[in-house]
Amino acid sequence: MGAIRTYLKLGELLERYPDKEGVLKEFFDAGSSEELLHRYGADAYLNRMLKSEAKPGDTLLSLLNEGEEDRPLPSAGDLDFLGMTICLMRQRFQACFDDWMTDYREETGGSFNCYLPRNCGSGNPYRNVWLAENVRDFPGIVSGCGFSDFFRAEFRDNLLKKNVFQSVDMPINASLSQELIDPFGAYTLYGIYPYVMMIDETRIGSLPRPREWADLMNPVYENNVIVIGSTEKVSELLLMYTHKEHGDEGIRRLGVTIKDGWHGSKMAKTAGSGSTEGAAIYVLPLGFARYSPRPDKVTIVWPEDGAISNPLFMLVRKDRYRDLEPIARYMTGPQLGREVAACSFPALNAEVDNGLPPHAKMKWLGWEYLRSVDLQQLKGHTQSLFQQNWKRNSRVEISK
């Protein structure tokens, strides 16, 4: 779970969660809670204790939060911050937030009621907050990733259209476009999860090198492109971007050229290896492409029309903005921004060096487009159409 965080003080933890005393004693090799308090002091923050002993914070949090799903939690509307992010960055995101909260508590004496899910799957008890019909039942701030539930038509109709959110006013990084700023003033992007192409130089041969996303529809690449997904289903991200510009025909063409759906780590490991499983072209997150073990045998292609963008976003309740502005400013500030960029997710903060190639652009679906379509229907339609044209035996039933 995610209720117990390392920005708690040792004394607080022992007082609020006396049943965790055994975990702390074993983890820090102490005979009793009195020994712990004598060694560190009641006001010692857990994350600083961990750093002083060079012990892994994520391991301790897993132990402390075990069984916490049975303990009553605050209602969603009483939460100050529900901090969700992409799996690739979860541990780093949470450790950095805990460090910031520790500093904030020390400097101001204040604190916030926060919940950061301990895993990326179904273990989040607040996973259905997007269904709230009244903003009072919604956390003060929610962070998330991708075109997720917070972009659904139901969420748009229930809350977004009621003008109950306030974006954070911030100068955008010079390496990124102003089009990433929500003109409706609801969403705040703090980073981008970009997808690029990677060419396997041992397989591309005399084939033309793709320069933009539309090139992947060229039948010359038949069964020679691998994208994010599985053997039964591919990610809808490329499908949605393709459909916006090329309609159903674009999806049908991708059904011819795409060979398989893989995890990004498998693509990075396979490209350039000579494996017959692979393909000439891969579509994968920049974070995986950058760490290919065979950089001499692959080439990263940043498409001329921009890397496909998956958003790292935040929603802040307008009626709670003033009280929660410290969190909002941290989320959009240079401290987190540098951590985001270090994970190959370009940060929007103007002070961060994203280390992008010269003239690199981001391809964005567009805020007006996102407000005009039903993304769930679009995902279902494009996936179903793709499956009908995919040159594979495996098929899945796509739920609308």
Side-chain angles (χ1 to χ4, degrees):
M1 305 301 285
I4 300 176
R5 303 301 314 165
T6 63
Y7 55 74
L8 288 177
K9 296 177 181 180
L10 175 60
E12 291 173 336
L13 184 61
L14 289 170
E15 181 181 349
R16 297 180 196 174
Y17 305 92
D19 55 313
K20 306 298 181 182
E21 178 184 352
V23 172
L24 289 172
K25 288 192 300 183
E26 183 174 352
F27 193 83
F28 288 101
D29 193 23
S32 65
S33 58
E34 289 76 17
E35 183 180 340
L36 281 169
L37 291 167
H38 178 73
R39 187 191 304 173
Y40 301 106
D43 288 334
Y45 293 97
L46 291 180
N47 52 0
R48 293 181 180 173
M49 291 166 55
L50 288 161
K51 289 175 183 177
S52 71
E53 303 287 352
K55 288 181 176 289
D58 207 58
T59 302
L60 176 60
L61 286 175
S62 294
L63 295 169
L64 289 174
N65 282 284
E66 188 174 342
E68 285 303 296
E69 62 271 11
D70 299 325
R71 197 186 300 267
L73 290 168
S75 65
D78 290 332
L79 278 183
D80 294 325
F81 179 53
L82 175 58
M84 301 175 289
T85 192
I86 196 159
C87 279
L88 268 175
M89 197 173 66
R90 180 185 60 81
Q91 289 188 19
R92 193 169 193 158
F93 175 88
Q94 295 187 358
C96 291
F97 182 80
D98 283 10
D99 287 346
W100 173 79
M101 268 286 287
T102 298
D103 292 340
Y104 179 82
R105 294 189 66 190
E106 195 168 56
E107 292 169 8
T108 68
S111 188
F112 296 104
N113 187 7
C114 307
Y115 190 93
L116 284 68
R118 292 288 307 139
N119 56 49
C120 303
S122 59
N124 178 4
Y126 298 104
R127 61 187 174 275
N128 290 324
V129 294
W130 65 275
L131 289 169
E133 296 182 1
N134 191 309
V135 75
R136 291 193 299 271
D137 299 320
F138 196 82
I141 298 179
V142 169
S143 67
C145 59
F147 295 108
S148 57
D149 293 331
F150 299 99
F151 287 88
R152 283 178 179 255
E154 298 96 319
F155 180 75
R156 181 175 64 210
D157 294 339
N158 288 337
L159 289 183
L160 201 63
K161 287 183 177 180
K162 296 177 182 176
N163 195 30
V164 294
F165 298 113
Q166 179 175 338
S167 60
V168 179
D169 186 20
M170 55 184 283
I172 192 170
N173 194 288
S175 66
L176 301 175
S177 169
Q178 289 288 334
E179 68 177 347
L180 297 173
I181 302 295
D182 180 8
F184 301 100
Y187 297 89
T188 301
L189 301 193
Y190 67 92
I192 290 293
Y193 185 31
Y195 284 62
V196 296
M197 302 180 205
M198 185 168 68
I199 294 176
D200 185 334
E201 296 293 350
T202 69
R203 299 178 67 103
I204 192 71
S206 61
L207 290 173
R209 292 170 176 268
R211 298 173 58 184
E212 54 186 38
W213 293 107
D215 293 341
L216 297 184
M217 299 185 297
N218 190 334
V220 72
Y221 301 123
E222 181 176 354
N223 210 35
N224 219 353
V225 179
I226 292 178
V227 300
I228 293 292
S230 67
T231 55
E232 288 85 25
K233 180 181 178 180
V234 301
S235 165
E236 289 93 358
L237 191 65
L238 175 62
L239 303 184
M240 289 193 298
Y241 273 90
T242 300
H243 190 270
K244 181 190 175 187
E245 295 185 357
H246 306 285
D248 287 358
E249 181 59 25
I251 304 301
R252 294 190 185 98
R253 292 186 180 186
L254 287 181
V256 173
T257 61
I258 290 177
K259 176 181 181 179
D260 209 346
W262 286 4
H263 192 277
S265 60
K266 183 178 180 180
M267 295 190 212
K269 292 174 183 176
T270 304
S273 69
S275 170
T276 56
E277 276 191 293
I281 303 166
Y282 298 87
V283 176
L284 73 171
L286 176 65
F288 288 113
R290 274 183 169 169
Y291 296 103
S292 166
R294 302 176 188 84
D296 57 324
K297 295 182 179 179
V298 300
T299 300
I300 296 176
V301 175
W302 198 290
E304 293 177 0
D305 50 339
I308 284 180
S309 300
N310 221 6
L312 302 178
F313 66 89
M314 177 173 63
L315 288 160
V316 185
R317 277 174 51 174
K318 186 177 292 187
D319 63 332
R320 301 192 62 194
Y321 186 95
R322 180 175 296 180
D323 293 338
L324 301 180
E325 188 171 5
I327 297 178
R329 291 297 173 187
Y330 162 75
M331 288 291 297
T332 56
Q335 181 181 351
L336 179 61
R338 283 188 281 269
E339 299 294 337
V340 169
C343 293
S344 300
F345 307 143
L348 269 72
N349 183 274
E351 298 179 36
V352 177
D353 179 4
N354 284 318
L356 299 179
H359 312 300
K361 297 193 301 184
M362 300 294 164
K363 193 177 187 68
W364 180 241
L365 277 178
W367 293 107
E368 290 191 7
Y369 180 77
L370 289 169
R371 289 217 176 200
S372 67
V373 299
D374 185 323
L375 280 191
Q376 289 305 110
Q377 286 188 6
L378 178 62
K379 289 177 182 179
H381 171 71
T382 56
Q383 186 73 239
S384 179
L385 185 60
F386 175 79
Q387 293 285 331
Q388 294 168 25
N389 292 272
W390 201 11
K391 293 195 170 182
R392 302 188 59 83
N393 293 323
S394 58
R395 290 290 181 265
V396 292
E397 181 180 348
I398 306 300
S399 58
K400 297 277 183 171

